[in-house]
Amino acid sequence: MNKFRDTYRIPSTRLQNWNYGWNAAYYVTICTHERQNFFGEIIDGKMVLSEIGELANQYWLEIPNHFSFAQLGAFVIMPNHIHGIIIIDKPNDGENENKNRNDNDNANVNVNVETRHCLVSTNMNTNMNTNIDNNKKTIRQKRFQNQGKNTLSSIIGSYKSVVTKNARSINPVFAWQRNYYEHIIRDDESYIKISKYIKNNPQNWNKDDHYDN
């Protein structure tokens, strides 16, 4: 299979059996609950972070300290969402890691590439479904619930969790949107285009899909 920058796996167009623990560059967008502007405001085309925004920025930068296989590309904290590139770069594409798994350990996760639930839910209603009988869940639901600790979901889940824990000491109603958007970056041209979009996002705030003044 061809490699993006000779390192990151380029997926097939169908992505039906893509494992989000595989090496790749991922473009991620994470929104706050109901797109509330918890992170600050845009003034003269520049993002001015609130106290919670500072936390979100700090913990994003710390991701590689807790996930040694993760690298960060361009990112920006916006008033009600975060755009960022996370690069998963494991030795041998995590081959040794996958050899230690059996078929029940979710080596392949069959989900839509564009949106998935966070591994660690930080929604205000986190306890709503805790009593569902696990035996009644579908195979896909079980896979989705337990995707392993070395995946994109584990990174985003841990990030959302630590930000929530600390943000609620500042504002008790802080919460994330349950889902997040993700896109696998396929080539250098896309990487450059997405990086530029992220960096210019504050200047184009009033045209943003997430704009809410």
Side-chain angles (χ1 to χ4, degrees):
M1 184 174 283
N2 293 329
K3 297 284 185 177
F4 165 45
R5 291 186 170 181
D6 297 322
T7 303
Y8 310 117
R9 182 193 300 267
I10 297 180
S12 68
T13 55
R14 297 186 67 183
L15 301 174
Q16 291 183 341
N17 294 308
W18 184 257
N19 181 340
Y20 284 81
W22 281 340
N23 290 355
Y26 299 92
Y27 168 48
V28 175
T29 299
I30 319 172
C31 297
T32 60
H33 181 59
E34 296 183 348
R35 298 183 180 180
Q36 298 179 69
N37 295 341
F38 287 115
F39 298 138
E41 59 182 328
I42 302 292
I43 300 178
D44 296 330
K46 296 183 179 180
M47 180 63 190
V48 179
L49 296 174
S50 65
E51 191 174 359
I52 293 178
E54 293 284 0
L55 285 176
N57 185 77
Q58 170 192 337
Y59 288 121
W60 187 270
L61 289 171
E62 290 182 4
I63 286 175
N65 296 338
H66 302 282
F67 297 89
S68 60
F69 57 88
Q71 302 172 20
L72 300 179
F75 81 96
V76 64
I77 310 294
M78 296 294 287
N80 58 18
H81 66 280
I82 296 170
H83 289 308
I85 294 174
I86 294 177
I87 301 165
I88 292 181
D89 186 12
K90 300 174 183 175
N92 300 318
D93 206 7
E95 181 179 353
N96 292 333
E97 177 182 292
N98 289 332
K99 284 181 179 179
N100 294 327
R101 297 174 179 172
N102 57 37
D103 291 340
N104 294 323
D105 286 333
N106 314 315
N108 291 310
V109 181
N110 181 10
V111 294
N112 188 316
V113 63
E114 292 188 349
T115 180
R116 302 162 76 211
H117 295 283
C118 175
L119 183 67
V120 181
S121 176
T122 53
N123 191 286
M124 292 291 286
N125 298 318
T126 52
N127 296 321
M128 288 181 62
N129 298 317
T130 54
N131 293 324
I132 296 178
D133 185 352
N134 189 60
N135 292 328
K136 295 181 181 179
K137 294 181 180 179
T138 65
I139 294 175
R140 179 171 176 174
Q141 286 174 323
K142 290 178 180 179
R143 285 181 175 180
F144 193 75
Q145 182 182 33
N146 180 21
Q147 296 179 42
K149 63 181 180 179
N150 295 324
T151 63
L152 182 65
S153 283
S154 67
I155 295 172
I156 301 302
S158 296
Y159 172 74
K160 292 175 74 173
S161 181
V162 70
V163 171
T164 299
K165 178 181 178 180
N166 289 277
R168 286 183 180 171
S169 66
I170 300 169
N171 187 339
V173 302
F174 175 83
W176 294 102
Q177 180 175 296
R178 188 179 179 188
N179 299 334
Y180 66 90
Y181 170 92
E182 63 189 22
H183 171 76
I184 300 172
I185 302 175
R186 300 173 182 274
D187 52 43
D188 284 324
E189 182 180 356
S190 295
Y191 188 95
I192 292 170
K193 182 178 180 180
I194 290 171
S195 297
K196 184 177 180 180
Y197 170 81
I198 291 172
K199 292 176 182 178
N200 293 334
N201 207 217
Q203 299 173 29
N204 300 313
W205 174 227
N206 60 350
K207 301 176 184 178
D208 196 288
D209 292 339
H210 302 93
Y211 177 71
D212 184 0
N213 60 357

